[in-house]
Amino acid sequence: MKLKSPRARFFISIAIGAVLLFISGRVDELRSYQGAQVAIFAIAISSIVLLTGFSGQISLGHGALMAVGGYSAVLVQSHLNLPYPIAFLIGGAVGGAAGFLLGIAAARLQGPYLAGTTLALAVGIPSLANQFHILGGEQGLTFDIGTAPSWIGKDFSQYRWFFWVSVIAALLNYWLLRNLLSTRYGRRWRAVRANPTAAALAGINVGKAKVLAFTLSSAVAGLAGSLYAMLLGLVAPLAFTLTLSFTLITGAVLAGVSNLGGSIVGAVVLVAIPEISGSITSHLGGSEKVTSNLPGLITSVLLVATVLFAPNGPKWPRRKHQ
Amino acid sequence: MTIFFNTLLVGFSSGAIYSLMSLALVLVWRSTRVVNFAAAGQAILSTYIGYEAMKVLHNYWLSIPVALLAGALISAGVEAIVMRPLAKRSKGTPVEAIAPVIATLGILGLIRSGVGLIWGNSFLQYTSPLSSKGYTIGHTTIPFSPLNAAIVIGASVVLAIFAMIFRFTRLGLSLRAASFQPEISRLSGIRVDLIRTIGWAFAGAASAVAGALVTPTTYLSPNSLDLLLVSGFVAAVIGGLESLIGAVVGGLVLGIGFAFILQYIGTSVTFSAAFIILIIVLLLRPQGIFGVRRSREA
Amino acid sequence: MLVQRRTKGGIFAAALTAVATLVASALPAHAETGVSSSTIKLGITVPLTGAAAPGYNKIPAAMKAYFDYVNANGGVNGRKIQLVVKDDAYSPAQTLSVTNDLILKDKVFALVGTLGTANNEATTRLVNSHGVPRLFVNTGFSGFADMKKYPTTFPLFPSYATEAKAMGKYIADNLAGHKVALIYQDDDFGADALKGFATAGTSFVAKIPYSALSQADPSVVGKWVTSIVSAQADTVIMFGVTSATGALAGGLYKAGLIGKVQMILGSVGSDGTTLKGLLGPLAPALAGSIAASFLPSPSDATDEYVNLFKTVNTQYNPGATFDNNVLVGMNTAMLTVQALRAAGTNPTRASLVKAIEAKGSTWASAAFSPILFSAKSHVGYTGYWFGKLGLDGNAVSVDGPGKYTLYTTDSGSAPVVKTAAARPAMPAKGLPNN
């Protein structure tokens, strides 16, 4: 069995999953929560890698697509009483549908115009929740997937359960995307990103490829949004700010924007920064001015430094055909 | 009828501010083909510097040139220290198109956190001697005050100056040439790198003026220009990034459209309104109102 | 023989149990999370950065100042109070992250004064599953008084529905026949208010909803003004945060309506000092506005609580102007100290909750409203007084300085009752002795 074949990847993913789940029983609740955060961010970042790193389109509004997925999952569970795994999948599906519409518009728009549209989207979509009462308004809708099933064992804290669910979803997502990117779709996207004119001349339907990429990327973002809702226990407009969209891009760049495996690295860095800056400020002792602005400062400096010195991400073992 | 007229006036004055911001963005685009998301950040930093100047000089009018100069220097600095090396290093890599976007986003965050760190998170008063009470015509007071007039005049002056520079001076010609065909421009003796930095400096000055003019109508805090970030960019896109006139028209379209949507549909749709206007415009003209359709650009 | 053996075994077991119980009761009680022999750790989440921060970011420092004062005078049953402050930038996602830190890493005993409706909602599951008491949450959302959903949460401020009903009564008594317009946020904050006004039977010539935080856009404010003008309203109720009040004042000034339109400000948006800071030279535009509050005016020099808090502020919170935010913070801190004292010499989370339910209604606080905490209710304050803003931005009671008439009611359909305000006397030197 070749190491790169889908079958091999599948077993490797299972192995990684098993190791992680084993570890989860040994760490405290806070780390479980953070682990779940990392897994969810990794999924969200992978959606950016797919869209930007592979098909060359930019979106500043993926936070809004996460919101679409999150709200869909919550609504479906509370109004239709569907079990939460289905709710997650529907969150992804609705996100994908939104991405399809957006992708059609996006295919006609060039770089900065697309950026502008997605920027307006990031601000406009979450505030729609205030328009329609069914969307819960400012304080949002609660989302409860319940605790771990009894057959898993006792002493399974809520956060550990979230960690399991998120990790399983992240592994599945990674496996699916990795396989997809090594098919002809992946090759088409890379061709479009590198040189759309040449790609078109080579017979690739550029518009179609772009729309497909946008749709899939949004579906992944929608899935991430549903899991995010699970973790927070609610969806609310304020949970999906413009900052979230910018954070996703930051994570993607830190990882190497065309490096799918790097999504984890980006996610870890994003979750680690507030922790690290918190330790720094508690050791140095700072005024409130410092403590509240330091995380943002560190993230921004990191972002600028990364894009300046390592635009393709840190020296991560890279595949030849990237 | 009065409501219609008043709404028009309200939209006109906010549109003037959006125009200044979008002008700054278009200037950068036309000289370096980069969208500068840090523009709002540069604006707030320049405004804080103007605020400090006012504390020292006790004069609002004198603080504006200080803010303007600060804006120009900051912007030029960003271009020379970050954007230029970035362009060289990302050439030919997969991230070439988005690297500038990301870098400017990073700089935006950096400036915002930095401002909060230095000046704190509370709000400050940056007052102008102009009254914000509307002019009275006969018995009615219209929602257009001397402060608004200053905004409109300021925006017009900036536009006029830049339009003249671009069209009638050698510098303007060099700016336009350097952005379209950098290699050929270099061959004709134009110092492309310097020209680009100058373009950024102009943009920095424009956004600084926007900040200094609009802040007296509200208050000064690290987040007070946040809305301007989105509005300015949307306005630039609506107008088409290729023309200065487009920047102004885009700003006015957004400002007036905004005011009318809010007036006749309701203020609950505030944040979605920008998106709605943008979608409508781009559906009809994907390159913006005055934009030029380029064939096959990544 | 069998019976004998069984009985012997039974007696042996009983004796063993008795001894074990005696031994166990003599052991020191297992220390509760966040409580050590010398400290009690409390946590608070508040927007320190971001658009919602102005004003509220002063509250934690004020609370800390009062705690420092109490610590310097013996603390609580010999323990010093520590307050861990976290910024949530008004984002519920961040609130949950930092509250995870507070409860799981910093291991605080209880949360106090946490701000924001969605923000508190986000931490409910965590707080409930760990039984962490959440004292005196900083929001008027009436939902948090639901004891079944939030068994360890104690709101303090009167709900917005209560406030709206009180305002409705004030208008009916003093401004009958006027054309009233209402500006409110299009979310639960505003919905709560609408509910209250409906119960009070107030009719409006214009109802103007707006999205929270959109008051920063001049077109939004322009719309408010044109709606007011076209409905020919002579009175306008501003049910929003302080920056919205400031925006409205600016808009009315611009339209030349100051003096022609009477403003009525909700308690959330009527902090004089913040408004002065926001409006600068325009601050006098607010003079004459009617404001609802439940705490005394920060400028009332005859009020014993105000004077004490001012002294504490000068000594332990240097550099901070004494305003409504400081007053709110210190008042909450004073109630917290009384709660901690009542929780006993070996406080547990459960004993803290029980103490508030049992004795909370008797405690001293600066508010003129009774406190309704009981084993059956987690409702805190229930009433307001009305004042007129002076040129300095501070409110003076409409009945004259120092004379407060209280309007009390509930979030439901009970009528509004007017009484002369009375409250427990302040303990000596402002140090609780409950």
Side-chain angles (χ1 to χ4, degrees):
Chain A
M1 183 162 40
K2 288 164 66 154
L3 261 177
K4 290 214 172 84
S5 74
R7 216 132 140 265
R9 290 203 190 112
F10 183 66
F11 285 122
I12 294 180
S13 306
I14 302 243
I16 297 179
V19 169
L20 283 172
L21 298 178
F22 177 71
I23 294 179
S24 79
R26 300 277 176 282
V27 302
D28 67 42
E29 265 199 287
L30 185 59
R31 296 293 173 223
S32 295
Y33 182 85
Q34 289 172 336
Q37 267 186 312
V38 168
I40 296 174
F41 269 132
I43 299 177
I45 292 174
S46 74
S47 76
I48 303 273
V49 169
L50 174 57
L51 183 69
T52 307
F54 278 87
S55 79
Q57 302 175 83
I58 189 157
S59 165
L60 297 175
H62 261 48
L65 289 164
M66 282 178 74
V68 168
Y71 271 92
S72 309
V74 174
L75 287 171
V76 148
Q77 194 218 37
S78 56
H79 290 268
L80 299 179
N81 264 317
L82 294 175
Y84 63 84
I86 310 269
F88 292 154
L89 288 175
I90 295 194
V94 177
F100 178 65
L101 293 171
L102 197 57
I104 295 183
R108 298 178 76 194
L109 297 170
Q110 296 155 24
Y113 297 91
L114 180 58
T117 309
T118 50
L119 185 70
L121 196 86
V123 177
I125 293 248
S127 69
L128 277 179
N130 287 324
Q131 303 306 99
F132 305 101
H133 190 75
I134 194 177
L135 295 176
E138 185 93 356
Q139 61 291 330
L141 303 165
T142 46
F143 190 34
D144 186 4
I145 66 157
T147 45
S150 40
W151 52 263
I152 283 211
K154 50 188 166 67
D155 282 348
F156 225 81
S157 78
Q158 182 74 301
Y159 284 166
R160 196 164 157 218
W161 179 228
F162 288 161
F163 179 62
W164 273 52
V165 174
S166 316
V167 164
I168 291 174
L171 286 170
L172 267 171
N173 173 66
Y174 179 78
W175 179 70
L176 283 169
L177 283 182
R178 178 90 275 154
N179 288 328
L180 182 66
L181 288 172
S182 53
T183 63
R184 66 171 189 272
Y185 292 106
R187 287 193 291 276
R188 280 191 197 152
W189 286 326
R190 276 192 289 266
V192 166
R193 177 197 75 200
N195 192 333
T197 318
L201 285 173
I204 297 177
N205 186 332
V206 173
K208 236 164 125 195
K210 279 182 154 180
V211 172
L212 186 62
F214 222 104
T215 309
L216 276 169
S217 163
S218 309
V220 173
L223 175 67
S226 317
L227 291 165
Y228 194 51
M230 164 193 82
L231 191 65
L232 292 181
L234 62 75
V235 280
L238 286 168
F240 299 100
T241 57
L242 190 57
T243 314
L244 178 62
S245 295
F246 287 173
T247 306
L248 295 182
I249 299 198
T250 306
V253 171
L254 292 174
V257 78
S258 47
N259 182 348
L260 186 62
S263 312
I264 277 279
V265 175
V268 169
V269 175
L270 285 179
V271 174
I273 288 182
E275 277 280 307
I276 297 177
S277 103
S279 321
I280 296 181
T281 48
S282 57
H283 281 304
L284 295 182
S287 69
E288 169 216 304
K289 275 199 294 195
V290 174
T291 44
S292 50
N293 288 301
L294 195 61
L297 192 70
I298 295 180
T299 316
S300 308
V301 169
L302 209 57
L303 183 61
V304 177
T306 308
V307 84
L308 202 51
F309 299 115
N312 279 310
K315 290 278 179 276
W316 190 251
R318 291 216 308 252
R319 296 164 193 282
K320 280 239 186 76
H321 302 291
Q322 208 66 317
Chain B
M1 196 54 209
T2 351
I3 298 183
F4 182 85
F5 184 60
N6 286 350
T7 313
L8 203 61
L9 279 175
V10 169
F12 196 62
S13 30
S14 51
I17 287 293
Y18 300 152
S19 302
L20 271 176
M21 253 344 247
S22 81
L23 205 71
L25 292 169
V26 170
L27 275 170
V28 166
W29 175 260
R30 288 200 68 178
S31 41
T32 55
R33 303 212 79 74
V34 160
V35 178
N36 180 17
F37 284 100
Q42 289 164 216
I44 197 76
L45 180 55
S46 320
T47 311
Y48 266 96
I49 293 178
Y51 166 81
E52 292 294 328
M54 197 170 99
K55 274 185 9 191
V56 169
L57 300 169
H58 296 293
N59 185 323
Y60 172 72
W61 301 111
L62 287 180
S63 70
I64 295 194
V66 175
L68 200 146
L69 194 63
L73 287 171
I74 294 168
S75 196
V78 167
E79 201 281 328
I81 299 174
V82 180
M83 306 309 291
R84 210 189 298 173
L86 182 69
K88 287 203 180 90
R89 301 174 86 108
S90 63
K91 207 174 180 67
T93 68
V95 294
E96 187 176 1
I98 60 157
V101 173
I102 305 211
T104 53
L105 281 178
I107 293 173
L108 173 66
L110 206 130
I111 295 182
R112 260 224 242 117
S113 312
V115 165
L117 232 130
I118 301 176
W119 279 281
N121 300 313
S122 335
F123 48 80
L124 304 164
Q125 268 294 321
Y126 187 25
T127 35
S128 122
L130 292 173
S131 163
S132 62
K133 183 159 179 201
Y135 290 113
T136 2
I137 299 183
H139 292 293
T140 35
T141 318
I142 55 169
F144 197 76
S145 65
L147 199 54
N148 296 126
I151 292 174
V152 173
I153 293 175
S156 316
V157 165
V158 171
L159 167 67
I161 292 179
F162 285 133
M164 286 196 291
I165 292 179
F166 266 72
R167 195 158 281 228
F168 299 122
T169 67
R170 206 189 137 76
L171 177 64
L173 185 61
S174 311
L175 274 162
R176 282 186 285 157
S179 79
F180 280 132
Q181 296 288 3
E183 294 314 318
I184 299 181
S185 307
R186 241 183 276 263
L187 289 172
S188 11
I190 295 177
R191 295 189 47 199
V192 172
D193 288 344
L194 178 62
I195 290 294
R196 286 182 165 176
T197 312
I198 293 179
W200 273 69
F202 281 155
S207 60
V209 172
L213 285 178
V214 82
T215 303
T217 63
T218 54
Y219 53 83
L220 180 64
S221 82
N223 295 91
S224 55
L225 292 182
D226 277 4
L227 282 180
L228 209 54
L229 166 70
V230 180
S231 320
F233 191 46
V234 172
V237 169
I238 288 177
L241 285 168
E242 305 298 337
S243 91
L244 298 179
I245 301 279
V248 176
V249 169
L252 290 174
V253 165
L254 186 64
I256 294 175
F258 225 16
F260 273 94
I261 289 184
L262 291 176
Q263 179 63 44
Y264 292 106
I265 298 184
T267 42
S268 303
V269 296
T270 309
F271 295 114
S272 324
F275 183 58
I276 296 169
I277 299 175
L278 181 66
I279 286 290
I280 294 177
V281 170
L282 288 181
L283 274 175
L284 301 171
R285 277 183 75 84
Q287 68 273 27
I289 300 178
F290 285 89
V292 171
R293 194 149 210 163
R294 263 168 218 304
S295 51
R296 292 304 172 204
E297 200 188 74
Chain C
M1 276 302 275
L2 259 141
V3 174
Q4 268 179 317
R5 230 182 284 154
R6 227 180 275 151
T7 319
K8 267 212 203 133
I11 294 176
F12 184 59
L16 200 56
T17 315
V19 170
T21 315
L22 276 169
V23 172
S25 62
L27 286 170
H30 171 66
E32 175 71 292
T33 322
V35 178
S36 77
S37 53
S38 55
T39 60
I40 299 182
K41 232 197 257 188
L42 303 174
I44 180 174
T45 60
V46 127
L48 295 176
T49 56
Y56 306 124
N57 55 6
K58 297 178 68 175
I59 295 180
M63 289 177 74
K64 229 169 183 200
Y66 183 80
F67 287 148
D68 286 343
Y69 173 59
V70 167
N71 288 343
N73 284 284
V76 170
N77 291 329
R79 294 185 177 92
K80 295 209 187 323
I81 305 173
Q82 252 182 356
L83 183 66
V84 184
V85 181
K86 297 272 187 193
D87 175 26
D88 71 354
Y90 210 53
S91 156
Q94 200 167 325
T95 316
L96 183 54
S97 272
V98 299
T99 310
N100 278 334
D101 280 348
L102 283 174
I103 294 180
L104 300 172
K105 191 160 71 155
D106 298 300
K107 299 214 190 314
V108 299
F109 176 55
L111 297 170
V112 44
T114 49
L115 190 150
T117 310
N119 311 77
N120 275 295
E121 193 60 75
T123 58
T124 296
R125 177 191 56 205
L126 177 64
V127 153
N128 284 352
S129 66
H130 283 79
V132 177
R134 200 163 47 169
L135 308 184
F136 316 138
V137 294
N138 192 329
T139 158
F141 181 54
S142 48
F144 287 125
D146 182 335
M147 289 176 62
K148 278 205 219 74
K149 270 172 95 175
Y150 314 98
T152 60
T153 302
F154 291 89
L156 181 64
F157 304 156
S159 70
Y160 300 125
T162 303
E163 185 171 352
K165 283 169 71 182
M167 261 189 205
K169 174 111 176 92
Y170 180 84
I171 292 174
D173 286 351
N174 298 287
L175 293 167
H178 284 243
K179 296 196 179 148
V180 186
L182 171 69
I183 306 180
Y184 62 100
Q185 280 185 202
D186 62 358
D187 52 22
D188 261 13
F189 175 15
D192 235 19
L194 283 175
K195 198 176 80 170
F197 282 121
T199 312
T202 320
S203 59
F204 299 107
V205 297
K207 281 202 210 146
I208 310 166
Y210 71 96
S211 297
L213 297 180
S214 70
Q215 60 269 23
D217 192 301
S219 309
V220 173
V221 184
K223 155 81 175 183
W224 294 351
V225 174
T226 46
S227 306
I228 292 172
V229 169
S230 61
Q232 294 175 323
D234 56 31
T235 313
V236 61
I237 302 178
M238 179 70 234
F239 223 95
V241 300
T242 318
S243 56
T245 307
L248 175 65
L252 290 175
Y253 177 75
K254 189 178 186 145
L257 288 173
I258 298 294
K260 303 206 184 100
V261 169
Q262 169 73 60
M263 279 189 281
I264 302 182
L265 311 178
S267 61
V268 179
S270 59
D271 172 39
T273 322
T274 315
L275 284 168
K276 260 175 83 181
L278 282 172
L279 291 169
L282 276 188
L286 280 171
S289 304
I290 297 172
S293 347
F294 47 90
L295 288 172
S297 169
S299 65
D300 187 346
T302 64
D303 192 289
E304 52 176 355
Y305 283 92
V306 169
N307 287 331
L308 171 81
F309 288 149
K310 257 199 208 150
T311 320
V312 173
N313 186 54
T314 316
Q315 209 183 340
Y316 291 92
N317 195 13
T321 338
F322 187 77
D323 64 7
N324 241 321
N325 296 301
V326 175
L327 187 51
V328 162
M330 293 209 182
N331 185 54
T332 302
M334 188 185 244
L335 278 169
T336 306
V337 169
Q338 291 171 90
L340 290 173
R341 289 174 67 93
T345 40
N346 279 315
T348 64
R349 286 168 168 167
S351 75
L352 180 62
V353 171
K354 287 222 163 36
I356 301 177
E357 289 174 347
K359 309 250 190 50
S361 55
T362 63
W363 291 336
S365 89
F368 292 108
S369 155
I371 304 175
L372 291 190
F373 294 141
S374 74
K376 293 219 188 67
S377 165
H378 281 191
V379 174
Y381 293 140
T382 55
Y384 287 91
W385 57 274
F386 292 93
K388 260 204 162 89
L389 290 185
L391 279 167
D392 64 350
N394 286 311
V396 176
S397 167
V398 292
D399 296 318
K403 290 217 278 279
Y404 299 93
T405 307
L406 197 64
Y407 290 65
T408 35
T409 181
D410 67 359
S411 312
S413 51
V416 181
V417 173
K418 272 167 78 166
T419 50
R423 65 183 176 190
M426 189 180 77
K429 293 213 232 145
L431 291 164
N433 51 16
N434 60 311

